[in-house]
Amino acid sequence: MHLRVAVAAAWLLASQAAAQGIGDAETHPRLTTEKCTVKDGCVKQNTSLVLDASFHNLRQSNGTGSCGGYRGQFSKELCPDHESCARNCVFDGADYEGSGVRANGSALTLNMYRELDGNVTAVSPRVYLLDAQGEDYEVLFVKKGELSFDVDVSKLVCGMNGALYLAEMNKTGARSALNPAGAKYGTGYCDAQCPVLPFIDGVANIDSKGACCNEMDLWEANSLASTFTAHVCAQPGVYQCKGDECGSLGVCEKSGCAYNTWKLGNQTFYGPNTQPSSAAGSNATKFAVDTTRPFTVVTQFLTSDNPSPISFGALNEVRRLYVQDGAVIANAAVADPYMPPGDSLRMSHCQAGAALFDDLGGLATTGRALDRGMVLAFSIWNDDRQFMNWLDAGEAGPCTYQEGDPEVIRRTRPDTSVTFSNVRWGELGSTYNSK
């Protein structure tokens, strides 16, 4: 699939560049989602997916030469500045199957690795939800509501992370005269880690700025451990940081306010239920949420009914429920004696472990981002620096510090993947069934 679409150029130039392309236009995989109300139930949405811009080859508009960017430093000849990059470079369509993305109906499977000619290489896809027209991102408004999805993490081993999260990205992918590709080609990514990307707000990031925005991690997990985390930023929308602004004490709270049941003292709530060994005296842990089988994850965003003008309507709790075998499973309560009691993200919980989160406005800041609307992202990845220890090793989970080495995973579990399905959002109590 190689329709040439201009990354950044005037609209007329973009049309001319596209007309010069060879091959088929990019076809976005369809992923059916649903919007729900308590009264009328759920209505299917004809949404689709787009791979992040980094999966779209960036090349010379009148040839095959690389402009660099996601595959290396920008070409000094083709991309010395924003306007030149706009004039000289175009995106090619992405290879979804080759990038580990498979969608079928309401189900999305992301594969970490690709095997080709006997070689196993990492692809680590990240995709975003597009609206029914396929031109812009679907913007979700879930404050005072909920979002649910089914997930199969059975193939996610120690060190893996299958993630579903909200980011305060621009609806159009920062489409402009300098970026006619826009959301249709996966541009405009940002998160609370303020990543330094080749493009920021859709134009060449010549100055190496960070792309910061509010982020709500609804799900980061493998089959051994899981967490959900709110990250806040001092600025709304996509903020371009520089220097210390991008750091750990900068414009965004990078660690976030997180809820990991294992880390909070409950080590029998989430994990794989396996058959006990026949050996005498052996036992298998019986987990409340069995990760060897699919289950439903429900995240609810509750607001304050305090009549004070300052507090009324502010987000004050992020609540988690699970459903498996038709039964609703309440989130595991905090068992750590050094943490405030409870079973959800509340400011008392956040203040105990995330000082900067409180300084930047806490859950109220997350609530304002939800008011403005956020974009849904799906990803699968591992970590060659920390081996994902923060998620599943030491105090965070049962994995050893070395199991998450990506080289170990690539060699022993090249089939590692995650499947998300039945994504729904709407009013409280409308997106899941219970007995």
Side-chain angles (χ1 to χ4, degrees), residues 241-319:
C241 71
K242 187 73 174 177
D244 290 343
E245 285 186 315
C246 306
S248 58
L249 297 177
V251 70
C252 292
E253 206 289 301
K254 296 178 180 294
S255 297
C257 177
Y259 202 104
N260 175 328
T261 55
W262 183 287
K263 188 173 184 178
L264 292 170
N266 193 317
Q267 300 179 359
T268 61
F269 180 74
Y270 178 93
N273 286 340
T274 56
Q275 293 296 322
S277 168
S278 59
S282 65
N283 295 295
T285 300
K286 180 70 173 178
F287 293 98
V289 177
D290 177 15
T291 60
T292 65
R293 301 178 293 119
F295 51 90
T296 302
V297 180
V298 184
T299 309
Q300 300 178 323
F301 300 89
L302 309 182
T303 58
S304 170
D305 57 2
N306 187 319
S308 165
I310 297 176
S311 302
F312 184 75
L315 183 72
N316 70 345
E317 182 179 4
V318 181
R319 183 180 294 170

Side-chain angles (χ1 to χ4, degrees), residues 390-412:
W390 61 268
L391 173 65
D392 60 21
E395 294 182 352
C399 301
T400 70
Y401 288 110
Q402 298 303 316
E403 283 180 283
D405 184 342
E407 179 55 30
V408 173
I409 300 171
R410 185 192 67 81
R411 187 174 64 250
T412 61

Side-chain angles (χ1 to χ4, degrees), residues 137-143 166-171 212-215 231-239 252 360 362-375:
Y137 296 125
E138 180 75 27
V139 178
L140 277 63
F141 298 90
V142 293
K143 185 178 168 185
L166 296 167
E168 197 182 350
M169 296 163 60
N170 182 284
K171 175 181 180 178
C212 309
C213 67
N214 287 285
E215 175 185 353
H231 298 271
V232 295
C233 299
Q235 300 292 334
V238 182
Y239 179 77
C252 292
L360 295 181
L363 290 177
T365 299
T366 298
R368 288 190 288 272
L370 293 173
D371 284 335
R372 293 186 291 266
M374 302 179 79
V375 174

